[in-house]
Amino acid sequence: MPGGTFDRINAPEYPATISGVRLDIYEITVGRFRAFVEAGKGTQADPPLRDAGAHPKIRESGWNSDWNSELTADKAAMKVALRCPDAFWTDFPEQNENHPMTCMTWFEAFAFCIWDGGRLPTEAEWNYAAAGGAEQRLYPWGTSIDPSKAAYSCHGNGDGAEKCGMDDFLPVGSKSPDGDARWGMADMAGNAGELVLDVFELGFPTPCHDCARLEANTERRVVRGGTAWTDALYVATDAQSAESPRNRNSFVGARCARDLAASVEP
């Protein structure tokens, strides 16, 4: 994704410029996360290295060793913690391996991206990708909401009844390519909500050139993209929500960012 300048949440009072970056096409899946868990990573027994996963142009944006205490003790403890009601995680591979991984904390999502050779995207990077940069799209594909392009408002399973169930959450990429963002990212509206690096506060820091809000607020982290259960208002590219980084939520996941010089596993 090339760098450029755009208006965060489509508001001219919040311009931002980002450098070129790669954002994963898909949300983290259960199958990808399973490899991380089986390797015993992202636990107090094997936490990320200090400063790992830092944005190359943002100071103190990497892993903070003080967060190690927020991780589960070991692989066995993590497997227990991931058993949220209605989440897609199972202790052994089943039919959900291509569904978005949910029920992970913000700390575990960050640790996964580090292990996978990346990092969490900043909110500005995520918003830039979803809005198509200077095209300022209201939805990743354009200006009008369309149930054929995203899993939202409890219509993911196609029943059209607005009866919310976990079958409204689809395997990643199910709405591709029609619902893809300008640079090919899938599911940036609906399906699982996506955690990003920034803490949540009202307004945005300005000026912003490769910026992230990293104040010592560990109580709320930004979630973007809405979910399969939220309506059109919340899947728009100008919408924000927030979660405690400690929460395990059955409808919130993440995707990873990668710096242009970084290698990506096939």
Side-chain angles (χ1 to χ4, degrees), residues 77-114:
M78 183 183 283
K79 285 185 174 182
V80 172
L82 292 173
R83 297 170 188 164
C84 289
D86 297 323
F88 294 109
W89 172 263
T90 53
D91 284 350
F92 301 97
E94 295 184 9
Q95 70 273 19
N96 297 331
E97 297 300 281
N98 289 327
H99 274 75
M101 181 64 199
T102 60
C103 194
M104 55 185 171
T105 67
W106 178 90
F107 302 104
E108 290 167 354
F110 196 177
F112 169 85
C113 288
I114 292 169

PDB file of all heavy atoms in Angstrom, residues 77-114:
ATOM      1  N   ALA A  77      -2.410 -22.796  29.609  1.00  0.00           N
ATOM      2  CA  ALA A  77      -3.268 -21.754  30.166  1.00  0.00           C
ATOM      3  C   ALA A  77      -3.906 -20.924  29.068  1.00  0.00           C
ATOM      4  O   ALA A  77      -5.073 -20.501  29.183  1.00  0.00           O
ATOM      5  CB  ALA A  77      -2.462 -20.871  31.108  1.00  0.00           C
ATOM      6  N   MET A  78      -3.174 -20.659  27.979  1.00  0.00           N
ATOM      7  CA  MET A  78      -3.758 -19.895  26.894  1.00  0.00           C
ATOM      8  C   MET A  78      -4.908 -20.662  26.251  1.00  0.00           C
ATOM      9  O   MET A  78      -5.959 -20.083  25.939  1.00  0.00           O
ATOM     10  CB  MET A  78      -2.718 -19.532  25.833  1.00  0.00           C
ATOM     11  CG  MET A  78      -3.309 -18.669  24.720  1.00  0.00           C
ATOM     12  SD  MET A  78      -2.172 -18.257  23.382  1.00  0.00           S
ATOM     13  CE  MET A  78      -1.204 -16.971  24.145  1.00  0.00           C
ATOM     14  N   LYS A  79      -4.748 -21.958  26.049  1.00  0.00           N
ATOM     15  CA  LYS A  79      -5.819 -22.738  25.435  1.00  0.00           C
ATOM     16  C   LYS A  79      -7.097 -22.676  26.262  1.00  0.00           C
ATOM     17  O   LYS A  79      -8.204 -22.616  25.717  1.00  0.00           O
ATOM     18  CB  LYS A  79      -5.375 -24.186  25.257  1.00  0.00           C
ATOM     19  CG  LYS A  79      -4.385 -24.389  24.113  1.00  0.00           C
ATOM     20  CD  LYS A  79      -4.077 -25.865  23.913  1.00  0.00           C
ATOM     21  CE  LYS A  79      -3.204 -26.090  22.696  1.00  0.00           C
ATOM     22  NZ  LYS A  79      -2.943 -27.538  22.455  1.00  0.00           N
ATOM     23  N   VAL A  80      -6.956 -22.678  27.559  1.00  0.00           N
ATOM     24  CA  VAL A  80      -8.133 -22.551  28.430  1.00  0.00           C
ATOM     25  C   VAL A  80      -8.742 -21.166  28.287  1.00  0.00           C
ATOM     26  O   VAL A  80      -9.962 -21.011  28.158  1.00  0.00           O
ATOM     27  CB  VAL A  80      -7.751 -22.832  29.897  1.00  0.00           C
ATOM     28  CG1 VAL A  80      -8.915 -22.512  30.822  1.00  0.00           C
ATOM     29  CG2 VAL A  80      -7.318 -24.282  30.070  1.00  0.00           C
ATOM     30  N   ALA A  81      -7.892 -20.140  28.269  1.00  0.00           N
ATOM     31  CA  ALA A  81      -8.380 -18.758  28.205  1.00  0.00           C
ATOM     32  C   ALA A  81      -9.096 -18.461  26.895  1.00  0.00           C
ATOM     33  O   ALA A  81      -9.972 -17.585  26.847  1.00  0.00           O
ATOM     34  CB  ALA A  81      -7.214 -17.795  28.393  1.00  0.00           C
ATOM     35  N   LEU A  82      -8.744 -19.161  25.833  1.00  0.00           N
ATOM     36  CA  LEU A  82      -9.326 -18.893  24.513  1.00  0.00           C
ATOM     37  C   LEU A  82     -10.710 -19.517  24.319  1.00  0.00           C
ATOM     38  O   LEU A  82     -11.327 -19.326  23.267  1.00  0.00           O
ATOM     39  CB  LEU A  82      -8.387 -19.400  23.411  1.00  0.00           C
ATOM     40  CG  LEU A  82      -7.064 -18.661  23.268  1.00  0.00           C
ATOM     41  CD1 LEU A  82      -6.168 -19.363  22.257  1.00  0.00           C
ATOM     42  CD2 LEU A  82      -7.275 -17.208  22.866  1.00  0.00           C
ATOM     43  N   ARG A  83     -11.217 -20.205  25.316  1.00  0.00           N
ATOM     44  CA  ARG A  83     -12.520 -20.868  25.195  1.00  0.00           C
ATOM     45  C   ARG A  83     -13.661 -19.919  25.556  1.00  0.00           C
ATOM     46  O   ARG A  83     -14.444 -20.163  26.473  1.00  0.00           O
ATOM     47  CB  ARG A  83     -12.566 -22.114  26.075  1.00  0.00           C
ATOM     48  CG  ARG A  83     -11.550 -23.184  25.687  1.00  0.00           C
ATOM     49  CD  ARG A  83     -11.501 -24.278  26.750  1.00  0.00           C
ATOM     50  NE  ARG A  83     -10.403 -25.212  26.513  1.00  0.00           N
ATOM     51  CZ  ARG A  83      -9.942 -26.060  27.431  1.00  0.00           C
ATOM     52  NH1 ARG A  83     -10.504 -26.102  28.639  1.00  0.00           N
ATOM     53  NH2 ARG A  83      -8.942 -26.872  27.140  1.00  0.00           N
ATOM     54  N   CYS A  84     -13.754 -18.809  24.841  1.00  0.00           N
ATOM     55  CA  CYS A  84     -14.869 -17.878  25.053  1.00  0.00           C
ATOM     56  C   CYS A  84     -16.174 -18.516  24.573  1.00  0.00           C
ATOM     57  O   CYS A  84     -16.167 -19.278  23.604  1.00  0.00           O
ATOM     58  CB  CYS A  84     -14.662 -16.596  24.244  1.00  0.00           C
ATOM     59  SG  CYS A  84     -13.366 -15.539  24.855  1.00  0.00           S
ATOM     60  N   PRO A  85     -17.287 -18.165  25.197  1.00  0.00           N
ATOM     61  CA  PRO A  85     -18.574 -18.594  24.642  1.00  0.00           C
ATOM     62  C   PRO A  85     -18.721 -18.083  23.209  1.00  0.00           C
ATOM     63  O   PRO A  85     -18.467 -16.907  22.932  1.00  0.00           O
ATOM     64  CB  PRO A  85     -19.594 -17.933  25.578  1.00  0.00           C
ATOM     65  CG  PRO A  85     -18.854 -17.683  26.847  1.00  0.00           C
ATOM     66  CD  PRO A  85     -17.448 -17.388  26.440  1.00  0.00           C
ATOM     67  N   ASP A  86     -19.090 -18.950  22.301  1.00  0.00           N
ATOM     68  CA  ASP A  86     -19.375 -18.611  20.905  1.00  0.00           C
ATOM     69  C   ASP A  86     -18.149 -18.252  20.077  1.00  0.00           C
ATOM     70  O   ASP A  86     -18.287 -17.876  18.916  1.00  0.00           O
ATOM     71  CB  ASP A  86     -20.384 -17.453  20.806  1.00  0.00           C
ATOM     72  CG  ASP A  86     -21.737 -17.808  21.389  1.00  0.00           C
ATOM     73  OD1 ASP A  86     -22.145 -18.970  21.208  1.00  0.00           O
ATOM     74  OD2 ASP A  86     -22.357 -16.950  22.014  1.00  0.00           O
ATOM     75  N   ALA A  87     -16.952 -18.340  20.650  1.00  0.00           N
ATOM     76  CA  ALA A  87     -15.762 -18.053  19.843  1.00  0.00           C
ATOM     77  C   ALA A  87     -15.465 -19.233  18.924  1.00  0.00           C
ATOM     78  O   ALA A  87     -15.977 -20.340  19.105  1.00  0.00           O
ATOM     79  CB  ALA A  87     -14.565 -17.758  20.739  1.00  0.00           C
ATOM     80  N   PHE A  88     -14.617 -19.007  17.935  1.00  0.00           N
ATOM     81  CA  PHE A  88     -14.322 -20.033  16.945  1.00  0.00           C
ATOM     82  C   PHE A  88     -13.150 -20.924  17.319  1.00  0.00           C
ATOM     83  O   PHE A  88     -12.882 -21.915  16.655  1.00  0.00           O
ATOM     84  CB  PHE A  88     -14.071 -19.379  15.579  1.00  0.00           C
ATOM     85  CG  PHE A  88     -15.286 -18.716  15.019  1.00  0.00           C
ATOM     86  CD1 PHE A  88     -15.369 -17.330  14.956  1.00  0.00           C
ATOM     87  CD2 PHE A  88     -16.368 -19.468  14.594  1.00  0.00           C
ATOM     88  CE1 PHE A  88     -16.501 -16.715  14.453  1.00  0.00           C
ATOM     89  CE2 PHE A  88     -17.502 -18.867  14.097  1.00  0.00           C
ATOM     90  CZ  PHE A  88     -17.574 -17.483  14.021  1.00  0.00           C
ATOM     91  N   TRP A  89     -12.438 -20.578  18.386  1.00  0.00           N
ATOM     92  CA  TRP A  89     -11.307 -21.385  18.807  1.00  0.00           C
ATOM     93  C   TRP A  89     -11.768 -22.756  19.283  1.00  0.00           C
ATOM     94  O   TRP A  89     -12.760 -22.896  20.007  1.00  0.00           O
ATOM     95  CB  TRP A  89     -10.538 -20.692  19.930  1.00  0.00           C
ATOM     96  CG  TRP A  89      -9.482 -21.590  20.527  1.00  0.00           C
ATOM     97  CD1 TRP A  89      -9.583 -22.352  21.657  1.00  0.00           C
ATOM     98  CD2 TRP A  89      -8.191 -21.860  19.981  1.00  0.00           C
ATOM     99  NE1 TRP A  89      -8.428 -23.061  21.852  1.00  0.00           N
ATOM    100  CE2 TRP A  89      -7.561 -22.785  20.845  1.00  0.00           C
ATOM    101  CE3 TRP A  89      -7.513 -21.398  18.858  1.00  0.00           C
ATOM    102  CZ2 TRP A  89      -6.275 -23.254  20.615  1.00  0.00           C
ATOM    103  CZ3 TRP A  89      -6.233 -21.867  18.623  1.00  0.00           C
ATOM    104  CH2 TRP A  89      -5.621 -22.782  19.499  1.00  0.00           C
ATOM    105  N   THR A  90     -11.040 -23.792  18.910  1.00  0.00           N
ATOM    106  CA  THR A  90     -11.194 -25.143  19.442  1.00  0.00           C
ATOM    107  C   THR A  90      -9.801 -25.664  19.763  1.00  0.00           C
ATOM    108  O   THR A  90      -8.816 -25.272  19.132  1.00  0.00           O
ATOM    109  CB  THR A  90     -11.884 -26.078  18.434  1.00  0.00           C
ATOM    110  OG1 THR A  90     -11.172 -26.023  17.180  1.00  0.00           O
ATOM    111  CG2 THR A  90     -13.335 -25.682  18.208  1.00  0.00           C
ATOM    112  N   ASP A  91      -9.716 -26.539  20.752  1.00  0.00           N
ATOM    113  CA  ASP A  91      -8.398 -27.031  21.156  1.00  0.00           C
ATOM    114  C   ASP A  91      -7.705 -27.831  20.058  1.00  0.00           C
ATOM    115  O   ASP A  91      -6.476 -27.921  20.026  1.00  0.00           O
ATOM    116  CB  ASP A  91      -8.518 -27.885  22.417  1.00  0.00           C
ATOM    117  CG  ASP A  91      -8.726 -27.043  23.676  1.00  0.00           C
ATOM    118  OD1 ASP A  91      -8.595 -25.801  23.587  1.00  0.00           O
ATOM    119  OD2 ASP A  91      -9.016 -27.624  24.731  1.00  0.00           O
ATOM    120  N   PHE A  92      -8.495 -28.409  19.174  1.00  0.00           N
ATOM    121  CA  PHE A  92      -7.949 -29.170  18.052  1.00  0.00           C
ATOM    122  C   PHE A  92      -8.600 -28.672  16.768  1.00  0.00           C
ATOM    123  O   PHE A  92      -9.729 -28.172  16.785  1.00  0.00           O
ATOM    124  CB  PHE A  92      -8.203 -30.668  18.242  1.00  0.00           C
ATOM    125  CG  PHE A  92      -7.594 -31.222  19.493  1.00  0.00           C
ATOM    126  CD1 PHE A  92      -8.359 -31.365  20.641  1.00  0.00           C
ATOM    127  CD2 PHE A  92      -6.254 -31.562  19.531  1.00  0.00           C
ATOM    128  CE1 PHE A  92      -7.797 -31.859  21.812  1.00  0.00           C
ATOM    129  CE2 PHE A  92      -5.684 -32.060  20.696  1.00  0.00           C
ATOM    130  CZ  PHE A  92      -6.451 -32.202  21.841  1.00  0.00           C
ATOM    131  N   PRO A  93      -7.907 -28.769  15.633  1.00  0.00           N
ATOM    132  CA  PRO A  93      -8.459 -28.244  14.378  1.00  0.00           C
ATOM    133  C   PRO A  93      -9.822 -28.865  14.062  1.00  0.00           C
ATOM    134  O   PRO A  93      -9.981 -30.093  14.109  1.00  0.00           O
ATOM    135  CB  PRO A  93      -7.403 -28.635  13.336  1.00  0.00           C
ATOM    136  CG  PRO A  93      -6.140 -28.777  14.115  1.00  0.00           C
ATOM    137  CD  PRO A  93      -6.552 -29.319  15.451  1.00  0.00           C
ATOM    138  N   GLU A  94     -10.775 -28.006  13.770  1.00  0.00           N
ATOM    139  CA  GLU A  94     -12.100 -28.445  13.350  1.00  0.00           C
ATOM    140  C   GLU A  94     -12.488 -27.661  12.105  1.00  0.00           C
ATOM    141  O   GLU A  94     -11.637 -27.352  11.273  1.00  0.00           O
ATOM    142  CB  GLU A  94     -13.107 -28.291  14.496  1.00  0.00           C
ATOM    143  CG  GLU A  94     -12.787 -29.222  15.675  1.00  0.00           C
ATOM    144  CD  GLU A  94     -13.821 -29.170  16.777  1.00  0.00           C
ATOM    145  OE1 GLU A  94     -14.890 -28.552  16.576  1.00  0.00           O
ATOM    146  OE2 GLU A  94     -13.559 -29.752  17.851  1.00  0.00           O
ATOM    147  N   GLN A  95     -13.754 -27.301  11.975  1.00  0.00           N
ATOM    148  CA  GLN A  95     -14.213 -26.660  10.737  1.00  0.00           C
ATOM    149  C   GLN A  95     -14.018 -25.153  10.734  1.00  0.00           C
ATOM    150  O   GLN A  95     -14.338 -24.504   9.743  1.00  0.00           O
ATOM    151  CB  GLN A  95     -15.701 -26.964  10.503  1.00  0.00           C
ATOM    152  CG  GLN A  95     -16.657 -26.298  11.470  1.00  0.00           C
ATOM    153  CD  GLN A  95     -16.896 -27.099  12.737  1.00  0.00           C
ATOM    154  OE1 GLN A  95     -16.104 -27.976  13.071  1.00  0.00           O
ATOM    155  NE2 GLN A  95     -17.981 -26.811  13.425  1.00  0.00           N
ATOM    156  N   ASN A  96     -13.461 -24.584  11.806  1.00  0.00           N
ATOM    157  CA  ASN A  96     -13.398 -23.127  11.920  1.00  0.00           C
ATOM    158  C   ASN A  96     -12.036 -22.533  11.595  1.00  0.00           C
ATOM    159  O   ASN A  96     -11.800 -21.344  11.865  1.00  0.00           O
ATOM    160  CB  ASN A  96     -13.772 -22.697  13.344  1.00  0.00           C
ATOM    161  CG  ASN A  96     -15.188 -23.067  13.721  1.00  0.00           C
ATOM    162  OD1 ASN A  96     -16.067 -23.152  12.859  1.00  0.00           O
ATOM    163  ND2 ASN A  96     -15.423 -23.288  14.997  1.00  0.00           N
ATOM    164  N   GLU A  97     -11.130 -23.281  11.038  1.00  0.00           N
ATOM    165  CA  GLU A  97      -9.751 -22.818  10.887  1.00  0.00           C
ATOM    166  C   GLU A  97      -9.625 -21.563  10.025  1.00  0.00           C
ATOM    167  O   GLU A  97      -8.685 -20.783  10.192  1.00  0.00           O
ATOM    168  CB  GLU A  97      -8.864 -23.937  10.321  1.00  0.00           C
ATOM    169  CG  GLU A  97      -8.753 -25.157  11.218  1.00  0.00           C
ATOM    170  CD  GLU A  97      -8.164 -24.841  12.580  1.00  0.00           C
ATOM    171  OE1 GLU A  97      -6.937 -24.714  12.684  1.00  0.00           O
ATOM    172  OE2 GLU A  97      -8.949 -24.715  13.544  1.00  0.00           O
ATOM    173  N   ASN A  98     -10.561 -21.335   9.095  1.00  0.00           N
ATOM    174  CA  ASN A  98     -10.493 -20.146   8.237  1.00  0.00           C
ATOM    175  C   ASN A  98     -11.382 -19.008   8.729  1.00  0.00           C
ATOM    176  O   ASN A  98     -11.519 -17.994   8.046  1.00  0.00           O
ATOM    177  CB  ASN A  98     -10.873 -20.515   6.800  1.00  0.00           C
ATOM    178  CG  ASN A  98      -9.801 -21.358   6.135  1.00  0.00           C
ATOM    179  OD1 ASN A  98      -8.622 -21.191   6.410  1.00  0.00           O
ATOM    180  ND2 ASN A  98     -10.208 -22.273   5.272  1.00  0.00           N
ATOM    181  N   HIS A  99     -12.001 -19.182   9.887  1.00  0.00           N
ATOM    182  CA  HIS A  99     -12.775 -18.095  10.471  1.00  0.00           C
ATOM    183  C   HIS A  99     -11.833 -17.103  11.171  1.00  0.00           C
ATOM    184  O   HIS A  99     -10.708 -17.447  11.545  1.00  0.00           O
ATOM    185  CB  HIS A  99     -13.785 -18.636  11.484  1.00  0.00           C
ATOM    186  CG  HIS A  99     -15.074 -19.058  10.865  1.00  0.00           C
ATOM    187  ND1 HIS A  99     -15.203 -20.215  10.139  1.00  0.00           N
ATOM    188  CD2 HIS A  99     -16.298 -18.446  10.849  1.00  0.00           C
ATOM    189  CE1 HIS A  99     -16.454 -20.324   9.710  1.00  0.00           C
ATOM    190  NE2 HIS A  99     -17.133 -19.264  10.124  1.00  0.00           N
ATOM    191  N   PRO A 100     -12.296 -15.871  11.372  1.00  0.00           N
ATOM    192  CA  PRO A 100     -11.444 -14.915  12.079  1.00  0.00           C
ATOM    193  C   PRO A 100     -11.203 -15.357  13.516  1.00  0.00           C
ATOM    194  O   PRO A 100     -12.106 -15.866  14.181  1.00  0.00           O
ATOM    195  CB  PRO A 100     -12.240 -13.605  12.019  1.00  0.00           C
ATOM    196  CG  PRO A 100     -13.649 -14.015  11.761  1.00  0.00           C
ATOM    197  CD  PRO A 100     -13.576 -15.272  10.957  1.00  0.00           C
ATOM    198  N   MET A 101      -9.986 -15.177  13.975  1.00  0.00           N
ATOM    199  CA  MET A 101      -9.636 -15.504  15.354  1.00  0.00           C
ATOM    200  C   MET A 101     -10.136 -14.403  16.267  1.00  0.00           C
ATOM    201  O   MET A 101      -9.800 -13.231  16.094  1.00  0.00           O
ATOM    202  CB  MET A 101      -8.121 -15.655  15.487  1.00  0.00           C
ATOM    203  CG  MET A 101      -7.654 -16.017  16.894  1.00  0.00           C
ATOM    204  SD  MET A 101      -8.273 -17.636  17.394  1.00  0.00           S
ATOM    205  CE  MET A 101      -8.077 -17.508  19.186  1.00  0.00           C
ATOM    206  N   THR A 102     -10.956 -14.775  17.214  1.00  0.00           N
ATOM    207  CA  THR A 102     -11.470 -13.849  18.208  1.00  0.00           C
ATOM    208  C   THR A 102     -11.114 -14.391  19.592  1.00  0.00           C
ATOM    209  O   THR A 102     -10.390 -15.376  19.711  1.00  0.00           O
ATOM    210  CB  THR A 102     -12.990 -13.676  18.060  1.00  0.00           C
ATOM    211  OG1 THR A 102     -13.626 -14.950  18.223  1.00  0.00           O
ATOM    212  CG2 THR A 102     -13.339 -13.118  16.676  1.00  0.00           C
ATOM    213  N   CYS A 103     -11.582 -13.737  20.631  1.00  0.00           N
ATOM    214  CA  CYS A 103     -11.331 -14.174  22.006  1.00  0.00           C
ATOM    215  C   CYS A 103      -9.874 -14.011  22.427  1.00  0.00           C
ATOM    216  O   CYS A 103      -9.465 -14.525  23.460  1.00  0.00           O
ATOM    217  CB  CYS A 103     -11.799 -15.608  22.232  1.00  0.00           C
ATOM    218  SG  CYS A 103     -11.887 -16.091  23.973  1.00  0.00           S
ATOM    219  N   MET A 104      -9.069 -13.321  21.653  1.00  0.00           N
ATOM    220  CA  MET A 104      -7.703 -13.023  22.073  1.00  0.00           C
ATOM    221  C   MET A 104      -7.678 -11.610  22.640  1.00  0.00           C
ATOM    222  O   MET A 104      -8.424 -10.727  22.202  1.00  0.00           O
ATOM    223  CB  MET A 104      -6.729 -13.142  20.898  1.00  0.00           C
ATOM    224  CG  MET A 104      -7.075 -12.304  19.698  1.00  0.00           C
ATOM    225  SD  MET A 104      -5.955 -12.614  18.299  1.00  0.00           S
ATOM    226  CE  MET A 104      -6.810 -11.691  17.012  1.00  0.00           C
ATOM    227  N   THR A 105      -6.833 -11.393  23.620  1.00  0.00           N
ATOM    228  CA  THR A 105      -6.663 -10.048  24.148  1.00  0.00           C
ATOM    229  C   THR A 105      -5.863  -9.192  23.168  1.00  0.00           C
ATOM    230  O   THR A 105      -5.226  -9.710  22.241  1.00  0.00           O
ATOM    231  CB  THR A 105      -5.923 -10.076  25.495  1.00  0.00           C
ATOM    232  OG1 THR A 105      -4.565 -10.518  25.279  1.00  0.00           O
ATOM    233  CG2 THR A 105      -6.619 -11.010  26.498  1.00  0.00           C
ATOM    234  N   TRP A 106      -5.870  -7.894  23.406  1.00  0.00           N
ATOM    235  CA  TRP A 106      -5.037  -6.999  22.584  1.00  0.00           C
ATOM    236  C   TRP A 106      -3.566  -7.399  22.708  1.00  0.00           C
ATOM    237  O   TRP A 106      -2.832  -7.384  21.711  1.00  0.00           O
ATOM    238  CB  TRP A 106      -5.241  -5.557  23.031  1.00  0.00           C
ATOM    239  CG  TRP A 106      -4.411  -4.547  22.302  1.00  0.00           C
ATOM    240  CD1 TRP A 106      -4.737  -3.879  21.163  1.00  0.00           C
ATOM    241  CD2 TRP A 106      -3.103  -4.075  22.678  1.00  0.00           C
ATOM    242  NE1 TRP A 106      -3.713  -3.031  20.797  1.00  0.00           N
ATOM    243  CE2 TRP A 106      -2.703  -3.131  21.699  1.00  0.00           C
ATOM    244  CE3 TRP A 106      -2.243  -4.362  23.728  1.00  0.00           C
ATOM    245  CZ2 TRP A 106      -1.471  -2.473  21.763  1.00  0.00           C
ATOM    246  CZ3 TRP A 106      -1.009  -3.714  23.789  1.00  0.00           C
ATOM    247  CH2 TRP A 106      -0.638  -2.776  22.803  1.00  0.00           C
ATOM    248  N   PHE A 107      -3.145  -7.771  23.891  1.00  0.00           N
ATOM    249  CA  PHE A 107      -1.751  -8.166  24.108  1.00  0.00           C
ATOM    250  C   PHE A 107      -1.405  -9.403  23.281  1.00  0.00           C
ATOM    251  O   PHE A 107      -0.329  -9.488  22.679  1.00  0.00           O
ATOM    252  CB  PHE A 107      -1.506  -8.441  25.598  1.00  0.00           C
ATOM    253  CG  PHE A 107      -1.805  -7.268  26.490  1.00  0.00           C
ATOM    254  CD1 PHE A 107      -2.959  -7.241  27.260  1.00  0.00           C
ATOM    255  CD2 PHE A 107      -0.944  -6.184  26.547  1.00  0.00           C
ATOM    256  CE1 PHE A 107      -3.248  -6.160  28.083  1.00  0.00           C
ATOM    257  CE2 PHE A 107      -1.213  -5.084  27.368  1.00  0.00           C
ATOM    258  CZ  PHE A 107      -2.380  -5.071  28.135  1.00  0.00           C
ATOM    259  N   GLU A 108      -2.318 -10.361  23.231  1.00  0.00           N
ATOM    260  CA  GLU A 108      -2.070 -11.574  22.442  1.00  0.00           C
ATOM    261  C   GLU A 108      -2.097 -11.290  20.947  1.00  0.00           C
ATOM    262  O   GLU A 108      -1.306 -11.875  20.191  1.00  0.00           O
ATOM    263  CB  GLU A 108      -3.102 -12.637  22.811  1.00  0.00           C
ATOM    264  CG  GLU A 108      -2.889 -13.197  24.205  1.00  0.00           C
ATOM    265  CD  GLU A 108      -4.063 -14.008  24.731  1.00  0.00           C
ATOM    266  OE1 GLU A 108      -5.121 -14.050  24.054  1.00  0.00           O
ATOM    267  OE2 GLU A 108      -3.927 -14.584  25.824  1.00  0.00           O
ATOM    268  N   ALA A 109      -2.980 -10.393  20.511  1.00  0.00           N
ATOM    269  CA  ALA A 109      -2.993 -10.018  19.094  1.00  0.00           C
ATOM    270  C   ALA A 109      -1.673  -9.371  18.698  1.00  0.00           C
ATOM    271  O   ALA A 109      -1.108  -9.677  17.632  1.00  0.00           O
ATOM    272  CB  ALA A 109      -4.159  -9.069  18.824  1.00  0.00           C
ATOM    273  N   PHE A 110      -1.172  -8.479  19.525  1.00  0.00           N
ATOM    274  CA  PHE A 110       0.106  -7.819  19.249  1.00  0.00           C
ATOM    275  C   PHE A 110       1.229  -8.864  19.239  1.00  0.00           C
ATOM    276  O   PHE A 110       2.078  -8.886  18.332  1.00  0.00           O
ATOM    277  CB  PHE A 110       0.364  -6.757  20.303  1.00  0.00           C
ATOM    278  CG  PHE A 110       1.446  -5.754  19.947  1.00  0.00           C
ATOM    279  CD1 PHE A 110       1.733  -4.704  20.799  1.00  0.00           C
ATOM    280  CD2 PHE A 110       2.186  -5.839  18.774  1.00  0.00           C
ATOM    281  CE1 PHE A 110       2.708  -3.768  20.502  1.00  0.00           C
ATOM    282  CE2 PHE A 110       3.175  -4.906  18.458  1.00  0.00           C
ATOM    283  CZ  PHE A 110       3.445  -3.870  19.332  1.00  0.00           C
ATOM    284  N   ALA A 111       1.232  -9.752  20.234  1.00  0.00           N
ATOM    285  CA  ALA A 111       2.272 -10.776  20.301  1.00  0.00           C
ATOM    286  C   ALA A 111       2.218 -11.699  19.082  1.00  0.00           C
ATOM    287  O   ALA A 111       3.264 -12.106  18.554  1.00  0.00           O
ATOM    288  CB  ALA A 111       2.122 -11.591  21.589  1.00  0.00           C
ATOM    289  N   PHE A 112       1.014 -12.027  18.617  1.00  0.00           N
ATOM    290  CA  PHE A 112       0.895 -12.859  17.420  1.00  0.00           C
ATOM    291  C   PHE A 112       1.525 -12.158  16.225  1.00  0.00           C
ATOM    292  O   PHE A 112       2.295 -12.776  15.468  1.00  0.00           O
ATOM    293  CB  PHE A 112      -0.565 -13.185  17.104  1.00  0.00           C
ATOM    294  CG  PHE A 112      -0.727 -13.806  15.745  1.00  0.00           C
ATOM    295  CD1 PHE A 112      -0.560 -15.170  15.565  1.00  0.00           C
ATOM    296  CD2 PHE A 112      -0.977 -13.034  14.618  1.00  0.00           C
ATOM    297  CE1 PHE A 112      -0.643 -15.749  14.307  1.00  0.00           C
ATOM    298  CE2 PHE A 112      -1.071 -13.596  13.355  1.00  0.00           C
ATOM    299  CZ  PHE A 112      -0.902 -14.965  13.194  1.00  0.00           C
ATOM    300  N   CYS A 113       1.177 -10.896  16.008  1.00  0.00           N
ATOM    301  CA  CYS A 113       1.712 -10.184  14.842  1.00  0.00           C
ATOM    302  C   CYS A 113       3.235 -10.117  14.890  1.00  0.00           C
ATOM    303  O   CYS A 113       3.901 -10.249  13.857  1.00  0.00           O
ATOM    304  CB  CYS A 113       1.100  -8.790  14.749  1.00  0.00           C
ATOM    305  SG  CYS A 113      -0.643  -8.771  14.228  1.00  0.00           S
ATOM    306  N   ILE A 114       3.794  -9.928  16.078  1.00  0.00           N
ATOM    307  CA  ILE A 114       5.256  -9.930  16.217  1.00  0.00           C
ATOM    308  C   ILE A 114       5.817 -11.287  15.805  1.00  0.00           C
ATOM    309  O   ILE A 114       6.770 -11.382  15.018  1.00  0.00           O
ATOM    310  CB  ILE A 114       5.650  -9.583  17.668  1.00  0.00           C
ATOM    311  CG1 ILE A 114       5.295  -8.118  17.984  1.00  0.00           C
ATOM    312  CG2 ILE A 114       7.141  -9.845  17.911  1.00  0.00           C
ATOM    313  CD1 ILE A 114       5.399  -7.758  19.459  1.00  0.00           C
TER     314      ILE A 114
END
